[in-house]
Amino acid sequence: MTKDTEATVVRLDDARSGAFASLETFLATVDAATVYAFQPIVHFDTGIAHGYEALLRGVDRLGLNPIGALFDLAYHRGWLGPLERLLQTKAIEAFAEIPSDTVRLFLNVDARRVAAAEAVAEEIAERLDARGIARDRFCLEIPETQDLATGDGALGVFRRLKEAGGHLALDDFGQGYSRLRLLHEHQPDYVKIDRYFISGVSAEPKKRLFLSRILDVMHVFGIRMVAEGVETEAEFRTCKDLGFDLAQGFLIQHPTTDRSALRTVYPVVERIVQSERRNRSGDVGLVREQIDRLPPLFADIDMVEVFESFRRHGELTLFPVIDRDGVPLGVIRDVDLKTYVYSPFGRDLMANKTYGKQLRDLVRPCPV
């Protein structure tokens, strides 16, 4: 046990012995001491903010360090649920003040609640609805190092989250156990690669080879890849060349509690991308001339409109499907609809809203 660990245990024992005499006192103290900072997650090609991760600050004022000690204390006292609900409310309230209708909130949840199959998705959906925030603007982050979130109870929570319209991110990928079961049975929308693999990647061929193989697999499943901890232009350029979709790190912006400092587009990325374009060969233009640009379908449209789109464009065998923010979700193919088209009353059933089938249910993930 290190000195830092010993100090953490001492502070934790002090807190258990009476610093927080009751749940009410504990929650009030945490509420007064903590605040959420936000750090942007941006598109590599444009610098446009895709989302902001909410990061808890102020826990050290409680005499608890690291942040995990706060959640360990709450867990051992049976207060983890109330603590998480308080912090979810704080994060969502703060996020609601950011002037954007498209960016997503990325928020960590303690995997012990998820493993216990608690109503995490329902609680978050209720808080989003109360603030008028669309549910598809929320992404639940699960750290890979918390290996509790792989059981049947956790998979049920993730399923309900998706059914409510939310998204799932696997954080710190590569730091702990790989979640093969989670990737197979209920694949996340995002995987965030740990800073260890990003640091110095431009000068380390082994890291680049390792990341390129992971990116190939994840993109086949339609999973968006986030490079965490991007701090230098060299790391940014290498991650972009490898095929990462999104970037997060000090190069773009440090976490900030000043919500007015958050941007919708980050100039540092624009500058890097413009520099690359000036040095790029004309081959890209030649390739773009040969690309067929298919009209996309929104994931929430009626199935009647889906059938009509295939009827109007009889030459097409598939359509890309996007959400209302323009984010690609996958494709819908004509063969996926033939079962319904050629079965008795199949098309009428699909058009019936009470039947429950939506375009989102039929989308096939594909590399983005």
Side-chain angles (χ1 to χ4, degrees):
M1 180 180 293
T2 65
K3 290 184 178 180
D4 289 342
T5 304
E6 290 173 353
T8 299
V9 171
V10 169
R11 284 194 291 270
L12 190 56
D13 289 341
D14 289 343
R16 287 175 181 167
S17 66
F20 303 117
S22 67
L23 173 60
E24 291 72 20
T25 301
F26 173 69
L27 294 178
T29 305
V30 171
D31 192 21
T34 59
V35 67
Y36 270 99
F38 291 92
Q39 187 175 36
I41 300 170
V42 306
H43 293 272
F44 265 101
D45 288 325
T46 62
I48 294 174
H50 179 74
Y52 302 112
E53 182 178 359
L55 300 165
L56 188 63
R57 296 291 183 263
V59 172
D60 54 318
R61 299 174 193 167
L62 303 170
L64 298 171
N65 188 41
I67 289 177
L70 171 65
F71 295 92
D72 290 341
L73 167 62
Y75 177 74
H76 289 296
R77 294 290 289 269
W79 297 343
L80 186 57
L83 172 64
E84 286 266 294
R85 287 188 282 273
L86 167 69
L87 295 178
Q88 288 165 12
T89 300
K90 283 177 73 78
I92 291 171
E93 290 289 327
F95 178 73
E97 297 177 9
I98 298 174
S100 174
D101 295 328
T102 58
V103 293
R104 289 178 176 168
L105 168 63
F106 287 71
L107 181 64
N108 278 277
V109 162
D110 194 294
R112 286 171 289 202
R113 290 197 68 214
V114 176
E118 296 188 30
V120 176
E122 293 81 355
E123 292 169 3
I124 292 172
E126 180 180 330
R127 284 161 176 75
L128 293 171
D129 293 345
R131 287 296 309 194
I133 300 172
R135 295 180 181 184
D136 63 2
R137 292 179 60 198
F138 178 79
C139 183
L140 181 74
E141 285 200 23
I142 296 292
E144 193 197 10
T145 48
Q146 288 190 287
D147 200 43
L148 300 166
T150 54
D152 294 332
L155 293 174
V157 172
F158 300 147
R159 185 186 66 252
R160 294 195 299 275
L161 173 73
K162 291 290 190 72
E163 290 172 350
H167 304 272
L168 177 66
L170 185 59
D171 196 10
D172 301 325
F173 190 84
Q175 192 183 96
Y177 298 101
S178 60
R179 298 296 174 72
L180 296 180
R181 182 180 177 188
L182 180 57
L183 290 172
H184 173 69
E185 295 189 17
H186 203 96
Q187 67 185 53
D189 302 282
Y190 306 88
V191 165
K192 303 179 79 175
I193 296 293
D194 184 66
R195 162 70 185 159
Y196 169 81
F197 294 100
I198 304 302
S199 177
V201 65
S202 58
E204 298 190 35
K206 285 185 178 179
K207 281 187 179 179
R208 293 199 299 273
L209 178 61
F210 175 77
L211 291 175
S212 68
R213 296 297 181 264
I214 290 179
L215 285 160
D216 287 344
V217 172
M218 298 300 181
H219 282 155
V220 166
F221 286 109
I223 296 172
R224 289 185 146 192
M225 298 298 292
V226 183
E228 284 191 297
V230 178
E231 296 185 359
T232 68
E233 286 195 21
E235 290 170 355
F236 181 94
R237 293 177 190 276
T238 301
C239 289
K240 184 175 182 295
D241 290 342
L242 284 170
F244 276 94
D245 304 287
L246 302 162
Q248 180 179 359
F250 291 167
L251 176 68
I252 292 94
Q253 188 173 38
H254 287 248
T256 178
T257 57
D258 180 5
R259 289 183 282 281
S260 66
L262 297 170
R263 298 173 178 268
T264 54
V265 182
Y266 282 83
V268 62
V269 177
E270 288 186 305
R271 176 178 59 77
I272 295 172
V273 171
Q274 287 298 329
S275 175
E276 289 179 339
R277 284 174 180 166
R278 285 194 293 269
N279 298 324
R280 192 179 296 166
S281 72
D283 291 346
V284 173
L286 295 174
V287 171
R288 284 179 173 169
E289 290 177 2
Q290 304 303 315
I291 293 177
D292 290 330
R293 301 189 179 277
L294 307 180
L297 301 178
F298 288 112
D300 58 357
I301 64 173
D302 291 338
M303 289 305 300
V304 173
E305 295 183 53
V306 177
F307 286 115
E308 180 60 20
S309 296
F310 276 105
R311 189 193 66 78
R312 287 199 312 269
H313 301 277
E315 75 284 3
L316 299 182
T317 60
L318 60 84
F319 284 95
V321 180
I322 61 176
D323 65 16
R324 288 293 173 179
D325 296 329
V327 177
L329 302 178
V331 297
I332 178 68
R333 307 183 307 172
D334 57 355
V335 295
D336 298 322
L337 299 177
K338 285 182 178 177
T339 301
Y340 302 97
V341 171
Y342 295 121
S343 63
F345 311 110
R347 181 165 176 166
D348 292 335
L349 280 174
M350 290 289 284
N352 187 339
K353 293 182 179 180
T354 61
Y355 175 63
K357 278 291 183 183
Q358 300 177 347
L359 174 57
R360 188 183 294 270
D361 300 321
L362 301 172
V363 169
R364 289 177 175 264
C366 66
V368 174

